[in-house]
Amino acid sequence: MSGNYQFLISTLVYGGLLLCLHPLVISCSKIPLHIGGMYPASHPYLKYRMKEMKNVADMAIRDINARHDILNQYELKLNLIDDNFNKFVAGRIFVDEILGNQQLIALLGPFTSSSSSVVASMARYWNLIQLSTGATSTQFSDRNEYPFFYTSKVTDITYNLIRVKLVQRFGWKRVAILHLSDVLFDNGAKHFQTELEKQGIDVVAKETFVLEPELQVKMLKKFQNFKTDILFIVFPFIERLCGSLKKELELFSCLAILASWPEFSA
């Protein structure tokens, strides 16, 4: 067998092997699917919870990418960025990710209702599916305004039903409500008042505050007509509130419940 003939045979064999292996090589390089996200990683009260959330999200991404029966031609890539518990920072992060080189298919976060409302209002125009692990505002139930927004938390309405049952359990008949002034939570407070009144429970006062409710508590103490069995103060930072209102609440004649919105929303 001549050398030229052997060379021809070897070329054909190796060429055939390359043709057979080429589809396998192509299938190994999966198409990346990018998921953007933002979360308050540096928040003093939430940083450990956010670390757990990131670990769970990373684990889920690894499990999906390791399976061959789900998106076997694709690879999910998650990029979570600290939004510093600030809705304006969260909005800027979203814009930067949209204007970047990587096309997003979905969003994880933000954690709070305030930040989620900013991002969701823009993300809808890119048809991005958005999942928050902390937003509880009833505002997101409006599918016309937030068609692609989802949350893994129950809404404020659900928590209100529990609060009403608590009032009934102890036989309280006169309730005062103080809550943080924010359009995202006004509906939740109104719903709480409505449900109390449906059960024949008097809401003797319903006030809002911007920073902390010392002034509103003092006003309630001055007016004897506002004698209450229970005072609900709904505030995102219970740790800070307990210290600042301790003296006022000690002088108050009724029981006070300091109830945080479940998500520590700003």
Side-chain angles (χ1 to χ4, degrees):
M1 186 179 294
S2 65
N4 290 336
Y5 186 73
Q6 288 180 344
F7 175 76
L8 179 61
I9 295 296
S10 299
T11 302
L12 291 174
V13 171
Y14 284 115
L17 287 174
L18 288 175
L19 289 174
C20 293
L21 292 175
H22 182 65
L24 297 177
V25 173
I26 293 178
S27 65
C28 288
S29 76
K30 295 184 176 181
I31 302 172
L33 298 177
H34 297 280
I35 302 174
M38 56 288 294
Y39 71 130
S42 58
H43 190 278
Y45 301 140
L46 294 173
K47 59 183 179 181
Y48 298 109
R49 184 176 176 184
M50 293 300 98
K51 184 177 180 180
E52 293 174 358
M53 187 204 75
K54 185 179 185 304
N55 290 338
V56 171
D58 290 338
M59 182 175 63
I61 294 293
R62 287 195 303 269
D63 288 347
I64 293 175
N65 288 336
R67 295 184 60 168
H68 301 290
D69 58 334
I70 302 178
L71 301 174
N72 60 341
Q73 297 181 1
Y74 302 91
E75 181 181 14
L76 296 179
K77 292 183 177 293
L78 175 64
N79 181 31
L80 282 175
I81 302 175
D82 184 10
D83 61 15
N84 300 319
F85 199 73
N86 187 306
K87 60 184 179 182
F88 302 109
V89 175
R92 187 197 66 200
I93 291 172
F94 171 74
V95 172
D96 290 343
E97 289 189 320
I98 286 295
L99 297 179
N101 297 325
Q102 300 172 344
Q103 182 177 356
L104 300 180
I105 64 164
L107 291 172
L108 178 60
F111 182 72
T112 68
S113 292
S114 298
S115 297
S116 293
S117 66
V118 172
V119 175
S121 298
M122 297 183 288
R124 57 175 297 190
Y125 296 106
W126 280 267
N127 295 329
L128 290 175
I129 296 175
Q130 183 179 353
L131 174 65
S132 172
T133 60
T136 63
S137 174
T138 57
Q139 177 176 336
F140 300 115
S141 300
D142 185 352
R143 304 317 293 174
N144 293 324
E145 187 69 23
Y146 303 99
F148 308 112
F149 183 89
Y150 301 90
T151 178
S152 60
K153 291 285 267 186
V154 297
T155 67
D156 298 329
I157 289 178
T158 304
Y159 285 101
N160 283 341
L161 298 177
I162 298 173
R163 294 180 181 121
V164 171
K165 291 295 183 182
L166 178 67
V167 172
Q168 291 179 311
R169 173 65 178 83
F170 289 97
W172 296 322
K173 295 299 182 182
R174 296 171 62 83
V175 176
I177 304 171
L178 302 181
H179 69 93
L180 185 67
S181 178
D182 193 312
V183 65
L184 291 170
F185 309 113
D186 287 343
N187 288 337
K190 290 178 181 177
H191 176 267
F192 185 31
Q193 178 182 6
T194 300
E195 291 301 313
L196 287 171
E197 292 174 346
K198 283 182 180 179
Q199 302 301 322
I201 300 167
D202 293 332
V203 179
V204 298
K206 177 180 171 292
E207 300 291 336
T208 62
F209 56 91
V210 177
L211 296 176
E212 295 185 4
E214 287 92 345
L215 177 61
Q216 287 76 10
V217 172
K218 290 179 180 178
M219 293 297 293
L220 287 177
K221 288 164 57 180
K222 287 182 179 179
F223 293 98
Q224 296 299 321
N225 292 334
F226 286 141
K227 291 182 179 179
T228 62
D229 298 321
I230 181 69
L231 169 64
F232 280 92
I233 303 178
V234 185
F235 189 70
F237 302 106
I238 294 303
E239 292 84 354
R240 192 177 76 196
L241 183 62
C242 288
S244 63
L245 272 185
K246 183 178 180 181
K247 182 177 180 180
E248 297 293 338
L249 293 177
E250 284 177 350
L251 299 175
F252 207 37
S253 59
C254 75
L255 177 64
I257 292 183
L258 305 181
S260 170
W261 292 122
E263 54 165 83
F264 287 86
S265 298

